[in-house]
Amino acid sequence: MKKLHAVVIPFPAQGHVIPLMEFSHCLAEHGFKITFLNTEFNHERVMTSLPENVNKENQIHLVSIPDGMDPGEDRNNLVKLCETTLRVMPGYLEELIQETNKSDGSKITCIIADETMGWAVKVAKKMGIPQAVFWTSAVGTRTAILHIPQLIEAGILGSDGIPVKQQMIQLSPTMPALNTDHFAWTCIGDSNMQRSLFRYIVSNLEDIKDVDWYLCNSSYELEKSAFQLNPNLLPVGPLLASSQPGQLTGNFWTEDSTCLNWLDQQPANSVIYVAFGSFTIFDKHQFHELALGLENAGHPFLWVVRPDLTDGPSDAYPDGFQERVASKGRMVGWAPQQKVLAHPSIAGFLSHCGWNSTMEGVTMGVPFLCWPYFADQFLNQSYICDVWKVGLQLNKDDSGIISNGEIKNKIKALLVDETIRERALELKERTKKSVNEGGSSKKNLNHFIESVKGK
């Protein structure tokens, strides 16, 4: 029987690399050989961040191609990133496929591209290779993008994608309401950047038409109403990293695993875990309010403080803060998040509500405090607080700041709310069923694998 060989291509951002790496492990466990393709810039970050015990001799082979940007350019500028990758990467991908098929014993059987990378689908079609696209965010977010023509027709969006006015809309009676200011393209940069990103998204929609498989990191149970508007989409989630030691994770920062030893010394259900993903940036004032809120809440906390979390120097803590919280607080640069959330000492997760963090918190049965930063994170907050009812929302004051008093009060409120904790544990059990044998996501994964074999 022919060896199955997939090339997996994530969008070049941390929140996209991690779920596609997790999906790659799922496929590797079913006998696939995986060529995992990052940009050179991100490949370097992943390789630098690998722990010493990582198993490099597994079924997943890490490779890279240029993204078209200079080494010092800002890759958080999504418009520039999308424009340069679209211009430069298709040619390199074609070369890589040709070289691999020439030199490799197992020819490429399918391309699995991030759904935002439609150019990779075009390359696969041109070369006669079956294609799958993988959506890494909430299906509710994808639904809004699919409805762009209807939103323009209804006068909610201009033809350039800019909302005619700020308003709340519902795509179906059972879906959470969406704020037009929080569409994926309307919350980034100025109006010119928003128009550019909108054009990329619309063009990408054309490129991903008629692919062989549409996959996503969600489950029917979590987003039932959204799936009714996405009929061809197969959920295979929530995806988690393998618990086997030495597995590739795709992290851009080195995990500080010493925090797990610290958690071992904390009482059960006592620690607030605080993490804002790979993109969030705070100004000094907001950073100070967060620090003081954690301190004043009086509970143990584990806080992930990325080197670039603030827009100023990374030693931006309030005066004397580190000394005052030394006995009950722990700050790390990057954490093994799934292991942290699974730890019995964790009582709550103060999160930016990125989809990976949302899926991980739900799967581990941890209640949330929601602090979305941009784009789909506001919809994810709606799922957490209004649909699943497993968390509380942090609210800004009149000056647009989430104050230390609000943070302290919400931490205290979350930790005494037994109803939220019970619902979080119930949701954990329901979610686990979908990925276990006989569950809907597991069946979809098996169906995908069998249909790749049949191509």
Side-chain angles (χ1 to χ4, degrees):
M1 196 179 85
K2 68 176 179 182
K3 177 84 169 170
L4 297 171
H5 183 180
V7 177
V8 177
I9 312 168
F11 183 82
Q14 180 72 97
H16 294 250
V17 171
I18 286 174
L20 275 159
M21 181 63 80
E22 290 165 351
F23 188 58
S24 296
H25 282 296
C26 289
L27 297 179
E29 285 167 17
H30 286 82
F32 275 72
K33 176 179 178 174
I34 303 290
T35 297
F36 196 92
L37 179 61
N38 274 313
T39 61
E40 285 179 351
F41 183 84
N42 287 342
H43 178 76
E44 183 63 34
R45 296 182 74 183
V46 168
M47 298 308 284
T48 305
S49 302
L50 289 177
E52 287 173 13
N53 69 338
V54 78
N55 175 15
K56 292 178 189 158
E57 300 302 314
N58 61 16
Q59 292 279 79
I60 298 177
H61 180 49
L62 302 179
V63 299
S64 65
I65 56 177
D67 62 8
M69 293 179 82
D70 294 332
E73 282 193 86
D74 178 15
R75 283 165 174 81
N76 285 350
N77 181 336
L78 290 180
V79 173
K80 185 79 185 284
L81 185 62
C82 288
E83 286 173 351
T84 54
T85 53
L86 182 59
R87 190 176 69 247
V88 168
M89 289 179 78
Y92 284 110
L93 175 60
E94 210 169 310
E95 280 176 32
L96 179 94
I97 291 168
Q98 287 166 345
E99 289 302 311
T100 304
N101 283 344
K102 256 188 245 167
S103 62
D104 200 294
S106 57
K107 285 196 169 185
I108 293 162
T109 19
C110 72
I111 302 278
I112 302 169
D114 197 297
E115 193 168 314
T116 59
M117 308 279 269
W119 56 262
V121 170
K122 288 173 80 173
V123 171
K125 284 182 175 175
K126 178 182 171 186
M127 303 184 81
I129 300 169
Q131 334 85 44
V133 289
F134 194 101
W135 183 254
T136 58
S137 303
V139 176
T141 303
R142 183 182 192 264
T143 311
I145 290 170
L146 292 183
H147 280 71
I148 283 172
Q150 292 92 318
L151 294 172
I152 292 172
E153 200 177 313
I156 293 165
L157 296 178
S159 58
D160 59 358
I162 304 299
V164 173
K165 62 176 181 180
Q166 186 277 325
Q167 59 183 310
M168 302 300 291
I169 62 161
Q170 267 191 301
L171 298 173
S172 85
T174 50
M175 269 188 68
L178 299 171
N179 185 333
T180 53
D181 281 356
H182 294 159
F183 286 142
W185 62 92
T186 57
C187 52
I188 291 166
D190 60 19
S191 58
N192 285 333
M193 283 180 76
Q194 292 170 16
R195 288 185 182 96
S196 297
L197 194 55
F198 180 75
R199 285 195 296 273
Y200 179 88
I201 289 168
V202 171
S203 165
N204 190 74
L205 274 176
E206 277 302 307
D207 294 343
I208 61 166
K209 273 185 177 167
D210 308 317
V211 303
D212 297 300
W213 304 278
Y214 297 89
L215 307 164
C216 69
N217 183 22
S218 187
S219 74
Y220 294 126
E221 292 74 14
L222 288 171
E223 296 192 84
K224 196 169 283 180
S225 55
F227 277 103
Q228 291 165 359
L229 301 174
N230 290 264
N232 300 323
L233 189 60
L234 294 177
V236 294
L239 295 166
L240 291 179
S242 167
S243 56
Q244 293 174 13
Q247 287 280 38
L248 292 165
T249 60
N251 280 317
F252 290 179
W253 292 272
T254 304
E255 290 178 343
D256 184 343
S257 294
T258 61
C259 65
L260 297 172
N261 303 329
W262 181 82
L263 288 175
D264 288 340
Q265 293 153 37
Q266 309 307 316
N269 287 333
S270 68
V271 178
I272 293 291
Y273 173 58
V274 185
F276 292 94
S278 57
F279 232 69
T280 307
I281 295 173
F282 290 127
D283 63 27
K284 190 173 180 181
H285 181 192
Q286 184 61 86
F287 186 77
H288 277 202
E289 290 296 308
L290 172 54
L292 296 172
L294 293 173
E295 178 185 356
N296 296 338
H299 291 274
F301 63 87
L302 172 61
W303 183 10
V304 177
V305 185
R306 286 189 340 264
D308 57 349
L309 182 62
T310 62
D311 58 8
S314 56
D315 58 347
Y317 297 108
D319 285 346
F321 170 78
Q322 287 164 287
E323 293 77 17
R324 293 194 304 272
V325 302
S327 62
K328 66 176 181 194
R330 180 74 185 261
M331 284 80 79
V332 295
W334 195 247
Q337 181 159 291
Q338 292 180 19
K339 289 176 183 165
V340 168
L341 289 169
H343 198 281
S345 68
I346 297 296
F349 183 12
L350 201 171
S351 172
H352 69 309
C353 307
W355 191 244
N356 293 324
S357 292
T358 301
M359 289 297 90
E360 289 164 1
V362 163
T363 307
M364 303 304 174
V366 179
F368 287 84
L369 284 173
C370 297
W371 188 334
Y373 179 61
F374 82 133
D376 62 317
Q377 296 161 10
F378 294 94
L379 170 68
N380 303 344
Q381 172 180 258
S382 297
Y383 275 133
I384 291 165
C385 297
D386 306 328
V387 179
W388 308 326
K389 296 182 167 61
V390 294
L392 300 174
Q393 177 178 332
L394 288 160
N395 297 310
K396 292 180 177 177
D397 62 20
D398 293 340
S399 61
I401 291 289
I402 293 179
S403 69
N404 75 75
E406 168 72 356
I407 294 162
K408 179 186 85 168
N409 293 338
K410 285 286 166 69
I411 288 174
K412 288 181 176 296
L414 187 74
L415 295 194
V416 297
D417 195 323
E418 285 303 318
T419 312
I420 285 182
R421 175 163 296 284
E422 283 165 20
R423 272 199 293 261
L425 292 171
E426 282 166 22
L427 190 61
K428 170 186 176 179
E429 291 311 310
R430 291 210 310 275
T431 305
K432 265 167 64 176
K433 278 182 188 164
S434 66
V435 291
N436 288 346
E437 213 54 60
S440 56
S441 290
K442 184 72 169 177
K443 284 179 183 171
N444 286 337
L445 174 65
N446 292 338
H447 169 73
F448 170 68
I449 291 165
E450 289 307 312
S451 51
V452 173
K453 286 179 184 173
K455 279 281 178 185

